[in-house]
Amino acid sequence: MNNTQSSYARAIDFHPSEPERLKFLAQSIDPYSYKILEKIPVDKNWRCLDIGTGSGSFAEKLSRCCPEGEVIGTDLDLTNLPEGYSFRAIEHNVITDTFEPESFDLIHARWLLCHLNEREQVLPKIVSWLKPNGWIFIEEAHPFPIESSQNHQYRQVAMGVWEVVANAIGTSADWGRSLPAPLTALGMRNVRIDLCTPTVGDTAMGRFMAATIRLFAKDISAIKNNSLNEIEEIAKRVESAGFYDFGYANISAWGQR
Ligand SMILES: C[S@@+](CC[C@H](N)C(=O)[O-])C[C@H]1O[C@@H](n2cnc3c(N)ncnc32)[C@H](O)[C@@H]1O
């Protein structure tokens, strides 16, 4: 891999906590993503793609919706998939690799493009893999519920995560917040948007945020005024009952080619 290809991998460094962190992310956001999927007229014969599938939960859902079609889940790293998944998993770099043009009925990517510097080139490429009338469904993380938190310590440390990743690999909140403009600019029709803001505390989002804070604790400590002990205290509180705040928002946009 060259530097561009491996930037996400370098930031996460294939950390041992990654399968569990991705599982918490899926548990938190899947219910919202599945609700939106109900708005797309999915057929049991469809050929679907989930790019940057992570723990594979959305690809799994698609394979239940399309038992007579085909579902492919791609990722740089397939080791975060659980045993016994029921879709076709392919190691595939969306920046450098490709698929046949006009070969999918539905393509989903969640919390992927915000992390890729090449997102402006990658999105048209993804759209070119859609059949005419095929659907794209993009979801992106946004830190605005944390930016406006009145809990100074939580805000400082959790925004520290975002700053660390933005500095390391160019993660952008602005791009996700600009949705659906990147889709309408490509001529997509029937475009819609939605948003959810899961709570932290004793929740899946709380456990995802705590794991993410721990993953980047050293880097946060280097740019913020917090010791590693303070950061760990905040991580513990973020996943505890009685801690009331929000995690990252999930911005969804979908439309038809
Ligand atoms: C934040 S995780 C989201 C996982 C999953 N989409 C979800 O929402 O549960 C981002 C995923 O994208 C994968 N990824 C990052 N860069 C990629 C690339 N260039 N090509 C394919 N997958 C990539 C990562 O390995 C990781 O599994």
Side-chain angles (χ1 to χ4, degrees):
M1 283 187 190
N2 64 32
N3 282 347
T4 306
Q5 289 170 292
S6 63
S7 55
Y8 185 90
R10 279 205 322 275
I12 303 295
D13 202 18
F14 295 116
H15 196 272
S17 68
E18 196 56 2
E20 194 172 57
R21 201 179 71 93
L22 289 176
K23 193 182 73 189
F24 294 145
L25 165 62
Q27 285 171 353
S28 175
I29 308 290
D30 278 353
Y32 302 99
S33 303
Y34 294 174
K35 277 270 165 224
I36 290 170
L37 187 61
E38 287 172 12
K39 299 176 196 288
I40 297 174
V42 179
D43 187 272
K44 58 182 188 308
N45 294 310
W46 273 13
R47 186 162 189 263
C48 306
L49 177 63
D50 184 35
I51 309 173
T53 196
S55 66
S57 63
F58 197 83
E60 204 64 64
K61 170 73 176 174
L62 288 174
S63 58
R64 289 196 293 276
C65 295
C66 306
E68 294 171 26
E70 181 185 28
V71 175
I72 298 177
T74 67
D75 209 291
L76 292 177
D77 175 13
L78 299 177
T79 63
N80 297 313
L81 292 174
E83 277 183 24
Y85 57 84
S86 61
F87 53 91
R88 190 171 148 215
I90 302 179
E91 196 177 303
H92 181 280
N93 183 337
V94 72
I95 299 167
T96 51
D97 297 330
T98 192
F99 282 103
E100 282 294 306
E102 305 195 352
S103 58
F104 290 99
D105 299 285
L106 169 63
I107 301 179
H108 175 255
R110 188 171 70 192
W111 295 30
L112 171 72
L113 291 168
C114 63
H115 291 305
L116 305 183
N117 270 320
E118 301 79 356
R119 58 189 77 83
E120 302 288 351
Q121 295 80 49
V122 169
L123 184 65
K125 186 165 87 161
I126 294 175
V127 167
S128 77
W129 301 336
L130 282 175
K131 296 178 187 174
N133 299 319
W135 290 81
I136 192 159
F137 177 13
I138 300 291
E139 306 192 86
E140 296 299 342
H142 200 288
F144 71 79
I146 299 168
E147 273 168 329
S148 54
S149 171
Q150 297 302 298
N151 182 323
H152 169 73
Q153 281 187 315
Y154 172 56
R155 186 176 68 235
Q156 173 152 310
V157 168
M159 285 310 297
V161 169
W162 197 272
E163 275 179 54
V164 165
V165 182
N167 293 341
I169 62 173
T171 295
S172 165
D174 292 345
W175 190 84
R177 189 66 183 84
S178 78
L179 286 166
L183 299 185
T184 52
L186 291 170
M188 307 298 289
R189 303 176 286 116
N190 297 322
V191 167
R192 300 281 183 278
I193 56 171
D194 208 337
L195 171 79
C196 68
T197 53
T199 55
V200 289
D202 184 14
T203 64
M205 178 53 78
R207 287 181 273 284
F208 171 76
M209 289 300 303
T212 306
I213 289 169
R214 289 188 179 108
L215 180 61
F216 293 111
K218 278 194 193 139
D219 308 281
I220 299 167
S221 181
I223 60 166
K224 300 282 182 189
N225 225 357
N226 299 97
S227 68
L228 286 177
N229 282 344
E230 283 168 350
I231 293 172
E232 176 53 29
E233 275 313 304
I234 292 165
K236 275 189 197 142
R237 285 173 48 209
V238 165
E239 60 180 346
S240 300
F243 187 85
Y244 300 107
D245 216 311
F246 298 97
Y248 295 125
N250 180 55
I251 296 174
S252 309
W254 62 103
Q256 202 172 7
R257 185 173 182 191

